[in-house]
Amino acid sequence: MRKISYREALREALREEMRRDPTVFLLGEDVGRYWGGAFKVTEGLAEEFGDERVRDTPISESAIIGAAVGAAITGMRPVAEIMFGDLTALAMDQIANQAAKIHYMFGGQVKVPLVIRTPFGAGVNIAAHHSQSLEAWFMHVPGLYVAVPSTPYDAKGLLKTAIRGSNPVFFCEHKLLYPIEGEVPEEEYMVPFGIADIKREGADVTVVATLYMVHKALNAAEELEGEGISVEVVDPRTLAPLDKQAIIKSVKKTGRIIIVNEDCKTAGVSAEIAAVVAEEAIDYLDAPIKRVAEPDTPIPFSPPLEQYVIPDEKAIINAVKEVV
Amino acid sequence: MTLTLTKEKLVEIYMKMLEIRFFEEKVFELYAQNLVPGTIHLYAGEEAVAVGVCGNLRKDDYITSTHRGHGHCIAKGAELKRVMAEILGKKTGYCKGKGGSMHIADFSIGMLGATAVVGAGIPIAVGAGLSIKLRDTDQVAACFFGEGASNQGTFHESINMAAIWKLPVIFVCENNLYAMGTRQSRVMAIKNVADRATAYGIPGEVVDGNDVLAVYEAAQKAVETARKGEGPTLIECKTYRHKGHSRIDLAKYRPKEEVEEWLAKDPIKRFKEKLLQTNTLVEAEIQQIEKEVSAEIEEAVKFAMESPYPAPEEASEDVYA
């Protein structure tokens, strides 16, 4: 099968959906022909679809999402890009109070088919305002779906599902994933929400990971295999809806679970998944639940400081060894 | 205040204003009887704004509204009984009891909903304007908000965005002088919100918001401009709320003389006098209209009171589409 990058996979999803449906359009800061998106995901799309449908905006995050909401409830399918995940804080009212609640608050009268794409993640030395992983914020808001693709295949399939859906989708990407290549079929496919993917089968320990951490978990699993420890890597692919059954099923098999996420540990994604396992599968556990996450600090700038806070393979391996 | 409209249109305008006034008086009465859950923000006193603007809109045009939104709904053509049922938390309300007084919407008439976050509806109206442009129709979107909201970032971001893209949006500021208890002069260094239009390169106009025909005329011009694809307008309507900010507020921060002065400028009273003076309507016709509107309100209350509450488990429905 052909291999393409995560960035190209996202672009293909956008291109295919824009060709298929004239109501799909993109808006965001520098998504158009002059820049093609800060991470080049939308490069070339303005040339094909024009400046009206690949729309550069002022630096106005709140109005970007607000305008996307207004367009979504009047017949369009906007895909808004927020240049860095950290900047979603500027648009939080429109995301959490408007987009997420309009369908419910107005008694189901209208749908909000809106996708908000944004990159999270540390590792490129751009410090506290451009490096966070804030998925948990959005997971906490009923009415939003949260996608967290880790591979080009998942990125393309999930984005197409997001664009065709009837709900607001907070679509998390990761800066370090954009250049990563993976197999993506030529023919059309979709990846459904709420269905986890077993990225590696194993028998001794379940490792649940998302986004870039899936790759670190797979590296750790490879290394542990050499030491005779068989690790199963479960990638939820969407945090809302969360495929609890896939996680529980894996725990029933292995009896041990490590949850790896790049966000801060307190009240983070791993806390929610740990709670699900504690509530619904504690009888199958042979060891305490372990979490590998960032310490509760802002992301620091200097390379040694930054590397210190980002969970790595070593931390995953250590956590696994603590429970086997 | 000039009277160039047909008698039919003038009567329609008068009736709508009266519907809002009587409706709000009824809501206040029901509240006093403890029949309205939560809070209420009454539109009484500001009727000329919603009616003057919406009188220029088609059914397929859009509006966005605020926590003080009953008047906008009624002016756009919402059914009184379903608005009242929503305010009482009933299943037959516009939002099946999920929204309440601060969150009424009727998408069948382009009423895109009231948001209770101050200033949050402004970018949504811009999005509706963007959608109109992308779909290439001749609809327009009108956006109501208070002078308090004009201090929110969303106001500035939104007007700028609508201006650069020449979107068919009419920004309608209902300047009732107070953001809750905060007088405008304490939080703004300028007198007219409309002056802010200059900063974004769009027309801004101050109108007497208690003169329904003045509002109508200003909105007519703005709607025509928007429909022709010539971009947005900011209209500032100087008005006053008759009651306090919300149900518990007695508005003691407003000087007595000021309140009296504004009550004397009651938009309905003024319009009625005008209609009588110009012999557009005679007293008997006015009384007939009042009777009709009262009956409508009574019917709405009856409907709302007799409607069932939603089943508790409906709380879990409509989280996702």
Side-chain angles (χ1 to χ4, degrees):
Chain A
M1 202 187 290
R2 68 168 181 155
K3 283 190 170 183
I4 61 171
S5 71
Y6 187 90
R7 174 186 291 115
E8 287 163 332
L10 290 165
R11 190 185 301 140
E12 272 194 5
L14 294 170
R15 181 179 287 128
E16 287 176 16
E17 292 309 300
M18 289 181 81
R19 282 180 184 168
R20 192 185 61 79
D21 181 349
T23 68
V24 178
F25 74 101
L26 317 182
L27 74 167
E29 295 156 12
D30 268 318
V31 297
R33 67 177 74 236
Y34 302 97
W35 203 293
F39 292 92
K40 304 288 181 197
V41 171
T42 53
E43 193 166 55
L45 296 180
E47 286 79 351
E48 178 172 351
F49 299 102
D51 301 331
E52 289 286 302
R53 287 180 73 196
V54 185
R55 184 170 285 266
D56 280 331
T57 65
I59 301 176
S60 303
E61 281 78 6
S62 208
I64 291 168
I65 303 301
V69 171
I73 61 176
T74 54
M76 302 299 288
R77 289 184 175 274
V79 181
E81 177 177 304
I82 297 293
M83 195 183 284
F84 286 89
D86 315 68
L87 310 178
T88 57
L90 289 155
M92 209 56 178
D93 172 64
Q94 289 297 330
I95 300 170
N97 288 329
Q98 313 304 328
K101 292 179 174 60
I102 279 177
H103 180 69
Y104 184 86
M105 200 163 75
F106 299 146
Q109 283 185 64
V110 71
K111 293 171 180 167
V112 190
L114 156 67
V115 180
I116 301 164
R117 295 180 36 247
T118 198
F120 282 133
V124 291
N125 313 124
I126 46 177
H129 288 168
H130 291 83
S131 304
Q132 295 168 90
S133 294
L134 303 168
E135 305 92 284
W137 286 6
F138 302 93
M139 218 183 152
H140 193 69
V141 181
L144 292 180
Y145 283 142
V146 181
V148 282
S150 67
T151 64
Y153 179 90
D154 290 346
K156 182 175 178 185
L158 288 170
L159 186 52
K160 286 171 74 84
T161 301
I163 293 172
R164 291 192 202 182
S166 304
N167 293 286
V169 178
F170 193 85
F171 198 91
C172 310
E173 298 165 10
H174 192 294
K175 295 170 197 84
L176 297 179
L177 287 173
Y178 289 124
I180 283 185
E181 296 205 333
E183 289 187 342
V184 175
E186 302 269 2
E187 61 276 13
E188 183 165 71
Y189 69 95
M190 315 264 285
V191 173
F193 282 11
I195 308 291
D197 185 39
I198 309 299
K199 289 284 193 275
R200 178 190 176 106
E201 291 202 20
D204 300 329
V205 185
T206 297
V207 173
V208 178
T210 61
L211 291 166
Y212 193 59
M213 287 298 135
V214 170
H215 301 271
K216 292 194 176 180
L218 289 169
N219 293 341
E222 190 65 31
E223 204 174 317
L224 287 161
E225 188 72 41
E227 299 180 36
I229 301 169
S230 168
V231 173
E232 176 145 299
V233 178
V234 179
D235 177 359
R237 299 199 288 195
T238 55
L239 293 172
L242 180 66
D243 188 352
K244 296 178 183 180
Q245 288 318 310
I247 296 168
I248 291 168
K249 194 174 158 203
S250 180
V251 167
K252 283 181 180 173
K253 179 166 77 171
T254 64
R256 294 169 177 86
I257 183 167
I258 313 291
I259 305 145
V260 187
N261 213 70
E262 204 182 309
D263 61 348
C264 295
K265 191 170 182 177
T266 299
V269 170
S270 61
E272 179 59 30
I273 295 173
V276 166
V277 174
E279 275 187 337
E280 300 180 33
I282 200 157
D283 295 340
Y284 301 96
L285 288 175
D286 297 322
I289 299 167
K290 290 278 170 197
R291 295 193 279 153
V292 177
E294 264 163 14
D296 296 331
T297 69
I299 305 295
F301 162 65
S302 179
L305 298 176
E306 186 184 38
Q307 286 310 313
Y308 179 79
V309 301
I310 305 172
D312 60 7
E313 285 86 345
K314 201 174 141 202
I316 299 168
I317 289 167
N318 288 343
V320 168
K321 286 183 175 171
E322 280 178 46
V323 297
V324 292
Chain B
M1 202 191 269
T2 54
L3 292 181
T4 52
L5 299 170
T6 62
K7 179 175 173 181
E8 194 191 353
K9 187 75 185 175
L10 291 167
V11 169
E12 183 194 310
I13 288 172
Y14 185 67
M15 274 191 89
K16 276 281 167 231
M17 288 171 72
L18 217 53
E19 274 180 13
I20 297 170
R21 177 65 56 86
F22 286 6
F23 187 92
E24 295 296 61
E25 284 173 352
K26 198 66 182 178
V27 171
F28 191 71
E29 196 183 307
L30 294 173
Y31 152 69
Q33 294 165 38
N34 240 342
L35 292 168
V36 183
T39 192
I40 46 170
H41 304 83
L42 299 175
Y43 198 70
E46 304 183 12
E47 293 89 346
V49 181
V51 175
V53 172
C54 291
N56 287 286
L57 301 180
R58 301 191 314 230
K59 190 178 175 188
D60 68 338
D61 289 328
Y62 301 118
I63 63 166
T64 64
S65 170
T66 70
H67 57 287
R68 195 176 308 288
H70 307 165
H72 307 136
C73 290
I74 295 170
K76 190 66 172 63
E79 288 180 72
L80 299 179
K81 59 179 190 176
R82 295 191 64 199
V83 178
M84 189 63 88
E86 188 60 37
I87 291 167
L88 297 192
K90 299 299 183 75
K91 188 181 165 65
T92 54
Y94 268 110
C95 310
K96 304 183 204 164
K98 293 256 176 57
S101 167
M102 289 190 282
H103 303 292
I104 304 176
D106 180 359
F107 283 79
S108 72
I109 56 164
M111 163 52 181
L112 303 180
T115 164
V117 177
V118 173
I122 309 176
I124 294 175
V126 169
L130 177 56
S131 161
I132 291 166
K133 191 172 188 215
L134 289 167
R135 287 185 284 107
D136 199 19
T137 73
D138 70 343
Q139 294 161 283
V140 300
C143 167
F144 295 98
F145 55 90
E147 89 289 348
S150 80
N151 292 325
Q152 284 279 26
T154 48
F155 167 89
H156 298 272
E157 291 185 15
S158 299
I159 294 196
N160 181 54
M161 209 174 248
I164 55 168
W165 295 338
K166 287 203 176 308
L167 300 181
V169 183
I170 299 98
F171 296 97
V172 184
C173 177
E174 303 175 319
N175 185 346
N176 63 16
L177 276 174
Y178 293 86
M180 274 184 62
T182 304
R183 197 179 164 80
Q184 184 197 335
S185 56
R186 293 172 56 215
V187 289
M188 284 169 70
I190 53 171
K191 245 189 160 153
N192 297 324
V193 172
D195 293 350
R196 290 180 167 174
T198 313
Y200 303 103
I202 68 163
E205 188 180 346
V206 178
V207 299
D208 178 348
N210 279 22
D211 176 348
V212 71
L213 296 179
V215 176
Y216 186 92
E217 277 170 21
Q220 188 175 41
K221 200 166 82 182
V223 168
E224 273 170 19
T225 305
R227 265 201 226 292
K228 279 190 287 186
E230 290 171 8
T233 302
L234 170 60
I235 302 172
E236 177 185 12
C237 304
K238 305 277 193 190
T239 187
Y240 206 70
R241 53 171 148 80
H242 284 184
K243 300 278 182 192
H245 165 72
S246 58
R247 64 189 289 171
I248 51 159
D249 175 28
L250 301 174
K252 288 184 178 161
Y253 45 83
R254 302 195 302 194
K256 202 166 154 261
E257 308 73 49
E258 180 187 282
V259 175
E260 278 164 11
E261 183 195 324
W262 279 95
L263 285 176
K265 290 193 281 190
D266 181 329
I268 295 181
K269 202 168 80 183
R270 279 170 72 188
F271 190 44
K272 181 166 120 180
E273 281 163 11
K274 189 82 184 174
L275 292 170
L276 288 170
Q277 276 166 18
T278 53
N279 289 321
T280 312
L281 291 177
V282 295
E283 190 60 47
E285 286 172 302
I286 295 272
Q287 281 172 15
Q288 181 57 28
I289 290 170
E290 286 176 359
K291 221 172 103 182
E292 276 174 39
V293 173
S294 290
E296 269 183 74
I297 305 293
E298 287 311 319
E299 202 183 315
V301 172
K302 186 168 184 284
F303 171 85
M305 296 288 284
E306 287 174 0
S307 290
Y309 282 110
E313 58 275 16
E314 285 176 40
S316 308
E317 291 172 8
D318 291 328
V319 178
Y320 292 94

